[in-house]
Amino acid sequence: MVTRREEEEVNRLENQVENGGGGVWEYLCLVHKLKLRRSDMVLKHGLSILNDKKKRSALGPEEWTLYEQVAVAAMDCQSNDAAKDCIKVLQRKFPGSKRVGRLEAMLLEARGLWSEAENAYSSLLEENPFDQVVHKRRVAMAKAQGNTSAAIDWLNKYLDLFMADHEAWRELAEIYVSLQMYKQAVFCYEELILSQPTVPLHHLAYADVLYTLGGLENLQTAKKYYASTIDLTGGKSTRALFGICLCTSAIGQLTKGRNKEDKDSLELQSLSAMALEKDYKQRAPSKVSVLSSTLRSLKI
């Protein structure tokens, strides 16, 4: 994850480069290191170096890394001719390279030649079944074609091999939610919470899905995870505060006073409502009346 300081440094260098203040290579290196998607800038300024023989020669071995970086950026910007030119240079320098082979497959994908790209990726995986980049390209290609079921299949196969990939679990969960396959999404978020228990976004997303599923047990668990989100964020999650109010209200309707935890639940709901009102008064005073109306509808 990119820190605020790193983001500020990238933005500073970007402004400097755009205004002709130099630092192009430093900027490109930082974008590459942080894995940022600044494709238009990488394409523009990367080509300015590659098209200048003197500047290109000064890079030494890093010249080939820049060719790869610019090729990917060009495909992202749909400048397939520029990508093809970069890949040709790399093919001449590294004949038979699997890394260059991935770029060739990606270019087929960028051109919309899905069948040829799939064959290329399959061939690469036969030689190296643990190539994470190729597995992820297959997922991306399925999503680009609108083939959600294939994307789910490829993600599940990928996670069988790389169970510790948090981003893949989150992506799979989001696809399940978009398809209203909430029980499957619950499993994904449980995996994320087990592996990253201090990330509040996982707790919040898990609670949202449980609340959507409904039912007394799910609502009670959702309320606990909304509470843990509030704890992990130092009380700064407006969505989690709303979640507490909604869950407590829904639980009250289902149990109708039979639940022994009713008093504690109502107290937690009241505290959440007070925190929401305080937050709205500070950040959105014009919306306080809307908030009050909403809370009244929940009988708070």
Side-chain angles (χ1 to χ4, degrees):
M1 186 176 179
V2 179
T3 65
R4 178 176 291 183
R5 180 175 293 180
E6 288 171 334
E7 186 176 358
E8 289 174 351
E9 178 63 10
V10 170
N11 291 334
R12 183 189 68 79
L13 283 172
E14 188 169 291
N15 289 330
Q16 178 180 305
V17 168
E18 281 290 88
N19 292 316
V24 173
W25 177 239
E26 185 182 359
Y27 169 73
L28 292 171
C29 286
L30 188 57
V31 168
H32 185 262
K33 176 186 174 183
L34 299 177
K35 299 180 180 180
L36 298 176
R37 190 172 182 175
R38 306 280 178 106
S39 302
D40 54 340
M41 293 290 292
V42 170
L43 178 60
K44 175 183 176 182
H45 296 291
L47 285 177
S48 72
I49 293 177
L50 294 177
N51 292 333
D52 186 316
K53 186 176 180 180
K54 185 177 180 181
K55 291 180 180 179
R56 186 175 69 242
S57 300
L59 299 178
E62 293 298 326
E63 173 186 348
W64 314 114
T65 303
L66 182 58
Y67 269 112
E68 181 183 36
Q69 186 181 6
V70 171
V72 174
M75 286 184 271
D76 204 18
C77 294
Q78 298 182 336
S79 298
N80 293 334
D81 289 340
K84 185 178 179 180
D85 291 340
C86 291
I87 293 171
K88 280 184 177 179
V89 174
L90 291 170
Q91 286 170 331
R92 288 195 296 268
K93 179 64 179 179
F94 306 102
S97 165
K98 302 300 180 292
R99 188 162 173 172
V100 177
R102 286 203 303 258
L103 291 174
E104 294 169 1
M106 288 170 66
L107 182 58
L108 292 171
E109 182 186 342
R111 293 168 59 192
L113 302 174
W114 307 118
S115 180
E116 291 89 335
E118 174 58 33
N119 291 335
Y121 287 137
S122 296
S123 178
L124 288 167
L125 285 176
E126 284 177 7
E127 297 180 26
N128 180 12
F130 300 101
D131 190 324
Q132 286 183 276
V133 174
V134 173
H135 280 287
K136 288 182 176 182
R137 289 313 316 163
R138 275 182 144 180
V139 174
M141 191 165 67
K143 291 174 72 175
Q145 296 176 81
N147 192 346
T148 308
S149 60
I152 290 173
D153 288 341
W154 289 128
L155 270 172
N156 276 306
K157 288 176 182 177
Y158 172 80
L159 286 167
D160 284 340
L161 296 172
F162 307 102
M163 293 187 68
D165 191 325
H166 308 127
E167 289 300 315
W169 280 114
R170 188 169 62 84
E171 184 175 4
L172 183 57
E174 289 173 354
I175 292 175
Y176 280 138
V177 169
S178 73
L179 297 174
Q180 299 182 12
M181 299 171 68
Y182 298 119
K183 291 183 179 179
Q184 292 85 341
V186 162
F187 176 81
C188 296
Y189 284 123
E190 286 173 347
E191 288 290 329
L192 282 168
I193 290 171
L194 282 171
S195 59
Q196 293 184 306
T198 60
V199 177
L201 287 177
H202 299 338
H203 291 248
L204 181 60
Y206 182 53
D208 283 344
V209 175
L210 289 172
Y211 176 79
T212 303
L213 279 170
L216 183 59
E217 186 176 346
N218 286 330
L219 288 169
Q220 289 173 332
T221 306
K223 187 178 70 173
K224 291 177 183 177
Y225 280 88
Y226 280 130
S228 65
T229 303
I230 293 169
D231 185 43
L232 289 168
T233 59
K236 295 180 180 179
S237 175
T238 302
R239 189 182 184 93
L241 291 169
F242 268 117
I244 291 286
C245 296
L246 289 167
C247 283
T248 307
S249 178
I251 290 169
Q253 291 177 23
L254 288 174
T255 59
K256 298 188 184 302
R258 296 191 302 273
N259 195 333
K260 293 181 180 179
E261 296 180 352
D262 270 1
K263 290 184 178 179
D264 291 337
S265 296
L266 290 172
E267 184 179 354
L268 180 59
Q269 185 186 43
S270 178
L271 289 171
S272 298
M274 289 170 61
L276 280 170
E277 288 175 344
K278 181 180 178 181
D279 188 37
Y280 268 66
K281 286 177 181 177
Q282 290 178 346
R283 298 198 296 169
S286 63
K287 301 293 183 181
V288 172
S289 60
V290 178
L291 172 67
S292 299
S293 177
T294 302
L295 295 178
R296 280 197 301 273
S297 70
L298 298 174
K299 298 180 180 179
I300 299 175

